[in-house]
Amino acid sequence: MLGLRLSRSIHCRSYSTNLVRLVEVGPRDGLQNEKGAVPVSVKVELINRLARAGLVNIEAGSFVSPKWVPQMAGTADVLNQIEKYPNVHYPVLVPNQRGLQDLLSLSTVRPLTDEIAVFTAATDAFTNANLNCTIAESLTRLASVTRDALDRGLRVRGYVSVVIACPYSGKTDYKQVRAVAKELVDMGCYQVSLGETVGQGRPHEVAEMLEEVKKDVPVEKLAGHFHDTYGTAIANVLTALEHGVRTIDSSVGGLGGCPYSPGATGNVATEDVLYALQTSPYQVVGSYQGKTIDLETISEIGWWISEALGRETASRVGRALRARRRLEEAGKKLQSSL
Ligand SMILES: CC(C)(COP(=O)([O-])OP(=O)([O-])OC[C@H]1O[C@@H](n2cnc3c(N)ncnc32)[C@H](O)[C@@H]1OP(=O)([O-])[O-])[C@@H](O)C(=O)NCCC(=O)NCCSC(=O)C[C@@](C)(O)CC(=O)[O-]
């Protein structure tokens, strides 16, 4: 443990900042995978709670085909109904011109968001399943979407899925991840999030993949997006940080999965990332009224949304914190009854 901490602080010092930016993907990546429809009011409440808790980048939904991902229908209503907190970004996923035009047509009175995310993958098998096209076709589409979005003053973030393994074609070629990430940056994405979609990647594989991608894309433009299917997500987050990545995607309560990655579980839980970085050389950036992000508050939001979906939180930290609080409350009750 001491060895890990020492090596982490050495790695930290060799990069320009220890500030870590979180992108909360629960309301999008999390809820898109739910079996039942989640009411707009619940999505709105979730996003508002997360913003009040200090998270500054909250993915609010997707402008994708409801035939492909029915759970994201209603994103326009979500964007219309959330409270807009200053300095908070509410990106939405856009797969094609239709999605962008739908978003822009709703934004004639006031902009509904200042950011979109475009997405593709490192294998043709995955883009075929997720977008009904090849990687090359997706990049052609996304180049025009990105250009038009930038012209309209939107920031554009890019995603590359299946950066370690693909559920349809197996082990991914990291050179392909590097090439796709570079294309996204070249077309104007301010950042590329590297999606470990399947959640089976190991830390040494994440390290190798990042070293390959960094040959063409500055690490400042990379983000890590780790699913936790095999329980390696938090180790992969720490590996990404050691390799200079300073933006991590996470999901409150560990919500999520990907509809086109069968069996994949949720993203690394926001609570688990916050806990792992406490007392480390890294500092997570938050904003609400200058407060830092409070772990207990995020954990309670994780419980609240999980219970609204009829289950327990998937965050190990969330479960541990609640168990500890219950124990403390029982202790107090016992004391007062004596
Ligand atoms: C891209 C398409 C639309 C192509 O799907 P397609 O079937 O090839 O599209 P199409 O152009 O032939 O249109 C089919 C129908 O969809 C409509 N349509 C077409 N576009 C839109 C749109 N934007 N919004 C609403 N409707 C749309 C279109 O109008 C038409 O309607 P119809 O005439 O049949 O009534 C489809 O494949 C799609 O929506 N895919 C999205 C899949 C998705 O959202 N996946 C999850 C997000 S990615 C992810 O989770 C991974 C990530 C980012 O988290 C990172 C990681 O973990 O790896």
Side-chain angles (χ1 to χ4, degrees):
M1 184 63 196
L2 181 64
L4 176 66
R5 186 169 295 170
L6 279 178
S7 88
R8 202 181 320 155
S9 61
I10 290 162
H11 279 291
C12 262
R13 275 200 295 275
S14 62
Y15 293 100
S16 59
T17 176
N18 291 346
L19 294 179
V20 176
R21 172 178 177 260
L22 291 187
V23 176
E24 170 59 50
V25 297
R28 194 279 305 171
D29 203 355
L31 300 185
Q32 77 181 6
N33 214 37
E34 283 303 309
K35 294 218 164 34
V38 179
V40 165
S41 59
V42 173
K43 294 179 181 173
V44 168
E45 177 69 16
L46 174 62
I47 293 168
N48 287 343
R49 285 185 188 220
L50 292 166
R52 284 198 293 269
L55 290 164
V56 286
N57 305 284
I58 306 171
E59 267 188 5
S62 306
F63 281 76
V64 297
S65 164
K67 286 183 187 151
W68 284 66
V69 184
Q71 296 82 348
M72 288 293 104
T75 293
D77 295 332
V78 171
L79 283 180
N80 263 312
Q81 292 175 32
I82 51 178
E83 290 171 44
K84 296 279 167 40
Y85 290 93
N87 307 322
V88 179
H89 303 283
Y90 301 97
V92 288
L93 261 60
V94 169
N96 55 12
Q97 276 292 348
R98 161 76 193 272
L100 180 65
Q101 295 318 318
D102 283 357
L103 171 66
L104 294 175
S105 69
L106 293 162
S107 300
T108 47
V109 182
R110 66 188 171 104
L112 289 183
T113 182
D114 63 354
E115 179 169 335
I116 64 163
V118 294
F119 55 103
T120 179
T123 68
D124 281 320
F126 195 82
T127 52
N128 267 309
N130 198 34
L131 291 163
N132 200 24
C133 63
T134 61
I135 301 173
E137 286 163 346
S138 76
L139 288 168
T140 305
R141 274 185 204 168
L142 298 184
S144 107
V145 170
T146 300
R147 201 173 40 246
D148 291 355
L150 291 171
D151 284 350
R152 295 292 292 261
L154 296 168
R155 305 199 301 176
V156 184
R157 190 172 192 246
Y159 274 107
V160 185
S161 284
V162 297
V163 296
I164 302 289
C166 171
Y168 309 106
S169 58
K171 183 87 183 143
T172 299
D173 177 358
Y174 303 151
K175 287 195 171 60
Q176 188 65 23
V177 181
R178 169 180 159 192
V180 175
K182 180 177 181 327
E183 281 230 26
L184 288 170
V185 169
D186 287 350
M187 70 177 67
C189 293
Y190 77 91
Q191 184 174 68
V192 174
S193 178
L194 300 169
E196 210 287 88
T197 317
V198 191
Q200 71 181 47
R202 304 171 183 93
H204 71 91
E205 294 170 315
V206 169
E208 282 163 33
M209 180 274 296
L210 283 172
E211 288 311 311
E212 182 63 35
V213 176
K214 279 158 63 177
K215 290 178 185 165
D216 269 336
V217 180
V219 72
E220 296 74 28
K221 287 189 180 283
L222 296 176
H225 179 107
F226 301 105
H227 287 261
D228 201 27
T229 316
Y230 283 72
T232 51
I234 201 75
N236 289 338
V237 166
L238 294 174
T239 300
L241 293 173
E242 285 181 4
H243 285 262
V245 171
R246 290 292 179 269
T247 301
I248 298 295
D249 299 354
S250 64
S251 178
V252 69
L255 293 176
C258 173
Y260 296 97
S261 179
T265 61
N267 290 90
V268 67
T270 307
E271 300 89 309
D272 297 6
V273 176
L274 290 171
Y275 179 80
L277 299 189
Q278 276 181 341
T279 71
S280 81
Y282 301 107
Q283 197 191 334
V284 176
V285 188
S287 97
Y288 184 59
Q289 297 178 345
K291 282 190 273 179
T292 51
I293 304 168
D294 179 52
L295 175 59
E296 295 272 351
T297 308
I298 298 291
S299 164
E300 278 314 303
I301 299 171
W303 272 104
W304 169 79
I305 185 64
S306 302
E307 286 171 352
L309 300 171
R311 55 171 180 265
E312 294 204 332
T313 180
S315 161
R316 298 176 76 116
V317 170
R319 280 189 250 144
L321 288 176
R322 183 167 273 196
R324 195 183 66 191
R325 210 177 38 258
R326 290 218 165 123
L327 197 68
E328 286 166 358
E329 282 164 8
K332 276 188 202 145
K333 239 186 198 163
L334 192 67
Q335 285 269 326
S336 62
S337 68
L338 291 176

